[in-house]
Amino acid sequence: MQETIQKVSAPKAIHKIYSSVLGLFRKNPALLAPFVIFTLLESIFLVILFLAPRQPFKFFFGPPIAALWGERYLHYPFNFVLLPTLASFSRTFLSVFAGSLLTGMAVMLAQEAFLGKHLKLAAAFKAVSKKYLSLLTIVLIVFFLFYGLTKVFSLLLMRYFMAGHSSLLFLKAGVWFGPFRVLLNFFASVVIQAFFVYCIPALIIAGETLSRAIAASFALWKRLPLTTFLLIGIPMLFYLPIIALEHNTSFLIGTLFPESVLLVCFAGTLLSSLAIDALVTVSAAHVFLQDRDSSKVRR
C-alpha cells in the first residue's frame, strides 16, 4: 500500500482507501458498533443538557451554568444559545474517557474485518481495555495540543486588537474572531490529528508501547503527509456547515425556532460519530495495516 500510494497521486490514493473502507463497512455492519455506542452516549448527554433548565436536572446543572454564563441561560430561549457550547464540552469529555476505548475497539475490529475474521465486540473490548491508559493518554495529548494551540492564537489576537490596532492583514477584529477563527481551528484540528492518527493502530495492531506508537505515527505521516491530511480533512469538511450553524444560534432561533438548535446538535452528533469518525478511524487502520504488510514483503 505504501508503494502504491507513493506511485499515484494523493487524491487517487484516498479514493482507493475510501473505496476499500466503505466496502468493508458494507460487508461488516458490526464494524459500526463502537461508533453507534458513542453516538448513543453523546445523544443521551445531549438530551440531559437540553433538559438542564428543568428539574431534577436543574438542581445539578443550574448553579454552574448560572455562575459561568448567567442565570438567563437557564430560561427559554437563551438555553438554546448555550446548548452547542455545552454539547461541545460533553463531546470532549466522552471522547477522552469513552471515545478513546471505543476507537481502540474499532481499530481491532477493523483489523479482524480486513483479515476476514468474525467480529467479536466483547473480545475486542476485553483486549483493548488492557491498553486503556495508553489510549487515554493519546487522546489527552491530542486534546491539550489542540486546546493549547487555539488558546494561544486567541490570546495573541486579543492582545493585538486590545493594543489599539483596528485591523490585521486588512481584516477587522470581527472577521478574525468570527469565520477566520473557525477556519483556523479547523485547520489546527486536521494538522494535529494527522500527526497522531496512526497512534492507535500502532498501539492496537502492532502492539507498540505508547512512545513507539507515537513515533510510528509520525514516521508514517512523514512518508504520506498529503494523503494523511486528505484522509482526515476531506471527511471533516462535511462538518463545517454544522460548525457554522452552531456558531449562529441567534440566526437559527430568529429565523426558524429555538428547538432547531437541538436538531442541529443531533445532526452534528450523527455526522461526526457515525460518518466522519468511522471513516477516518477505519481508513487510518487500513493504511497502517497495508503499510505494515508492504514493509514485511520488502524485508
Side-chain angles (χ1 to χ4, degrees):
M1 182 70 170
Q2 179 190 343
E3 293 178 354
T4 303
I5 290 176
Q6 290 179 346
K7 286 181 180 179
V8 301
S9 63
K12 289 183 178 179
I14 287 295
H15 181 266
K16 285 186 176 182
I17 294 167
Y18 285 165
S19 296
S20 297
V21 169
L22 292 175
L24 195 69
F25 278 119
R26 284 193 292 269
K27 293 179 182 178
N28 303 272
L31 187 54
L32 275 171
F35 306 102
V36 171
I37 293 172
F38 187 87
T39 302
L40 291 174
L41 287 173
E42 190 173 0
S43 298
I44 291 170
F45 271 61
L46 184 57
V47 170
I48 292 173
L49 293 173
F50 162 65
L51 296 172
R54 306 177 188 179
Q55 296 294 354
F57 301 101
K58 188 176 181 180
F59 177 80
F60 300 99
F61 295 100
I65 289 175
L68 293 172
W69 291 283
E71 179 70 27
R72 71 171 185 166
Y73 290 105
L74 290 169
H75 302 281
Y76 186 89
F78 296 104
N79 56 310
F80 287 102
V81 175
L82 186 62
L83 186 60
T85 299
L86 297 177
S88 177
F89 288 155
S90 70
R91 178 173 175 79
T92 299
F93 174 83
L94 287 171
S95 296
V96 172
F97 294 101
S100 53
L101 179 64
L102 291 168
T103 300
M105 290 172 60
V107 168
M108 177 160 284
L109 293 174
Q111 180 186 22
E112 293 177 349
F114 279 119
L115 295 175
K117 296 181 179 180
H118 179 67
L119 305 188
K120 298 178 180 178
L121 194 63
F125 173 79
K126 184 177 180 180
V128 171
S129 60
K130 298 175 183 178
K131 296 267 189 177
Y132 178 67
L133 187 58
S134 295
L135 292 167
L136 182 67
T137 303
I138 290 171
V139 177
L140 282 172
I141 290 172
V142 172
F143 166 72
F144 281 117
L145 282 175
F146 175 76
Y147 177 80
L149 186 63
T150 55
K151 195 70 174 179
V152 167
F153 175 74
S154 296
L155 288 173
L156 289 175
L157 277 181
M158 288 177 59
R159 289 187 178 182
Y160 179 83
F161 286 108
M162 288 178 67
H165 301 284
S166 59
S167 63
L168 175 62
L169 298 178
F170 308 105
L171 297 174
K172 300 294 184 181
V175 178
W176 281 103
F177 285 104
F180 258 56
R181 186 167 68 171
V182 172
L183 290 174
L184 287 170
N185 287 353
F186 173 84
F187 181 73
S189 177
V190 172
V191 170
I192 293 171
Q193 288 187 64
F195 292 146
F196 293 90
V197 71
Y198 304 114
C199 281
I200 293 180
L203 196 72
I204 300 300
I205 296 172
E208 300 285 8
T209 61
L210 177 60
S211 59
R212 290 178 65 87
I214 293 174
S217 183
F218 273 67
L220 186 49
W221 165 81
K222 188 176 180 180
R223 290 197 295 273
L224 304 170
L226 183 56
T227 298
T228 303
F229 284 134
L230 292 177
L231 183 148
I232 298 168
I234 291 175
M236 287 184 63
L237 284 173
F238 292 96
Y239 198 74
L240 283 177
I242 299 293
I243 296 175
L245 290 173
E246 288 182 343
H247 279 75
N248 287 277
T249 51
S250 298
F251 167 80
L252 288 172
I253 293 171
T255 307
L256 300 176
F257 46 89
E259 290 77 9
S260 62
V261 177
L262 178 63
L263 297 179
V264 168
C265 290
F266 268 121
T269 295
L270 294 174
L271 180 62
S272 63
S273 300
L274 289 180
I276 297 172
D277 290 351
L279 185 58
V280 170
T281 299
V282 178
S283 294
H286 179 44
V287 172
F288 184 86
L289 275 167
Q290 295 297 326
D291 176 75
R292 189 183 65 160
D293 291 343
S294 298
S295 299
K296 287 180 180 179
V297 170
R298 290 194 301 274
R299 291 173 187 171

